[in-house]
């Protein structure tokens, strides 16, 4: 059995390799490439329209490893503070920085040094100055309570080894009335943890996915209201790219989600 720390290290190694591949000009691999970078058809840059891709440096587009487009659903406004959990090569941070303008701030949080270096380079090339990339884990967000208006994330929460902690931390750092607009892989409720693991690897964003019901219950337990989880496109049998939305209206409590055991070997690539 792989421990949570080993699994997180495996995730970090996998995405460090993806960042290096983009920096070296070779193809990256990430979510959806569960069997060694083979099937990424429903992941990455194809989920952004031509206009958005035109706003971005090539390397930021190439580094896109998400399963949706959170900036399209988050309805960002001038002057807001946005936090992207697991910001990778910075694609959604750069797009958010442009939406919130010079009076707003876009934070990107990631645990992988190589991704942070790539994102910083991409933001410089995109000429956006209202961005800050933070090193850390999404289970312990390095920002004060009630300091963020909007949390976005693209295909990252499924990779967390402590999802209740992530949901609780999101509720802590959001201001009252703050909202989330997240893209993630989500399983249909009838799939057990082992059935999810049969459909793809943990580092490939499949095995660690929450089910729709688990997501909804976890967000509600963490103090969110107006929770919705909508499937957008199938990424594996019974597993979907999904848009997750909710609003913080009350104080966070620790979410009572079942612990998802690391039921699969992480490695590939
Ligand atoms: C699938 S990639 C998605 C990157 C980006 N959101 C995108 O759409 O291209 C996952 C990213 O999340 C980061 N990550 C995974 N688990 C994390 C954790 N627990 N804390 C912080 N970052 C994490 C990885 O380093 C990687 O950059």
């Amino acid at each position: 059995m792989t421990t949570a720390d080993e699994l997180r290290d495996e995730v970090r190694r996998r995405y460090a390799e993806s960042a290096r591949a983009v920096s070296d000009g070779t193809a990256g691999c990430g979510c959806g490439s569960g069997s060694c970078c083979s099937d990424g058809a429903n992941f990455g840059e194809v989920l952004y329209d031509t206009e958005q891709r035109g706003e971005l440096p090539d390397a930021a587009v190439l580094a896109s490893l998400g399963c949706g487009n959170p900036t399209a659903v988050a309805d960002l406004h001038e002057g807001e503070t946005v936090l992207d959990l697991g910001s990778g090569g910075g694609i959604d941070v750069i797009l958010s920085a442009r939406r919130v303008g010079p009076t707003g701030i876009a934070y990107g949080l990631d645990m992988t040094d190589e991704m942070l270096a790539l994102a910083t380079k991409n933001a410089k090339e995109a000429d956006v100055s209202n961005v800050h990339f933070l090193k850390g884990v999404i289970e312990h967000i390095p920002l004060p309570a009630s300091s963020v208006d909007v949390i976005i994330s693209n295909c990252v929460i499924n990779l967390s080894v402590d999802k209740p902690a992530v949901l609780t931390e999101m509720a802590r750092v959001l201001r009252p009335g703050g909202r989330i607009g997240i893209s993630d892989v989500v399983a249909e409720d009838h799939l057990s943890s082992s059935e999810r693991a049969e459909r793809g690897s943990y580092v490939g964003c499949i095995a660690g996915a929450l089910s729709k019901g688990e997501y909804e219950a976890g967000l509600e337990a963490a103090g969110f209201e107006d929770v919705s989880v909508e499937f957008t496109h199938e990424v594996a049998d019974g597993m979907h790219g999904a848009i997750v939305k909710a609003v913080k209206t009350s104080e966070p409590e620790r979410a009572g989600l079942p612990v998802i055991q690391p039921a699969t070997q992480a490695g590939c690539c």
Side-chain angles (χ1 to χ4, degrees):
M1 181 68 76
T2 312
T3 67
D5 283 349
E6 286 168 347
L7 195 51
R8 183 186 276 162
D9 282 347
E10 193 60 41
V11 169
R12 198 194 318 265
R13 273 197 296 278
R14 168 67 169 269
Y15 289 98
E17 186 178 335
S18 290
R20 277 195 296 272
V22 171
S23 301
D24 296 348
T26 54
C29 72
C31 283
S33 45
S35 55
C36 294
C37 320
S38 57
D39 176 17
N42 290 310
F43 293 85
E45 63 179 84
V46 294
L47 300 164
Y48 294 80
D49 64 30
T50 316
E51 192 183 334
Q52 283 190 309
R53 282 189 253 172
E55 291 181 39
L56 296 158
D58 288 347
V61 175
L62 199 61
S64 171
L65 299 171
C67 49
N69 179 351
T71 59
V73 296
D75 189 25
L76 302 177
H77 303 295
E78 193 88 18
E80 286 189 317
T81 298
V82 184
L83 167 64
D84 182 14
L85 299 181
S87 43
I91 182 167
D92 295 314
V93 179
I94 296 169
L95 290 170
S96 297
R98 295 233 166 90
R99 299 293 177 278
V100 299
T103 58
I105 299 174
Y107 288 107
L109 171 62
D110 206 287
M111 66 177 181
T112 305
D113 287 325
E114 291 80 353
M115 278 296 184
L116 289 164
L118 179 61
T120 303
K121 185 165 171 279
N122 287 336
K124 200 169 169 207
E125 199 178 319
D127 203 21
V128 284
S129 54
N130 55 335
V131 300
H132 300 279
F133 290 103
L134 309 171
K135 182 171 179 180
V137 293
I138 62 175
E139 296 82 2
H140 301 282
I141 298 174
L143 285 173
S146 302
S147 59
V148 170
D149 297 301
V150 187
I151 291 179
I152 61 170
S153 183
N154 198 348
C155 226
V156 179
I157 293 175
N158 69 78
L159 293 169
S160 170
V161 295
D162 188 352
K163 292 166 178 74
V166 178
L167 305 185
T168 303
E169 277 291 89
M170 292 198 307
R172 182 184 66 80
V173 299
L174 277 174
R175 297 193 173 107
R179 59 199 191 278
I180 65 170
I182 286 174
S183 300
D184 206 358
V185 172
V186 178
E188 291 175 15
D189 286 328
H190 62 89
L191 290 183
S192 66
S193 295
S194 53
E195 286 170 328
R196 296 172 215 178
E198 283 164 11
R199 283 155 173 76
S201 72
Y202 196 96
V203 297
C205 302
I206 301 293
L210 293 172
S211 73
K212 186 173 187 292
E214 288 166 352
Y215 233 127
E216 289 166 344
L219 285 166
E220 278 162 13
F224 287 94
E225 290 182 4
D226 296 335
V227 172
S228 69
V229 178
E230 282 177 33
F231 294 153
T232 52
H233 55 288
E234 192 166 66
V235 297
D237 183 22
M239 315 268 308
H240 303 262
I243 293 168
V244 180
K245 287 173 149 181
V247 178
K248 173 189 170 176
T249 53
S250 57
E251 284 307 305
E253 293 164 18
R254 184 156 174 91
L257 288 174
V259 174
I260 298 215
Q261 294 296 338
T264 181
Q265 74 296 341
C268 91
C269 304

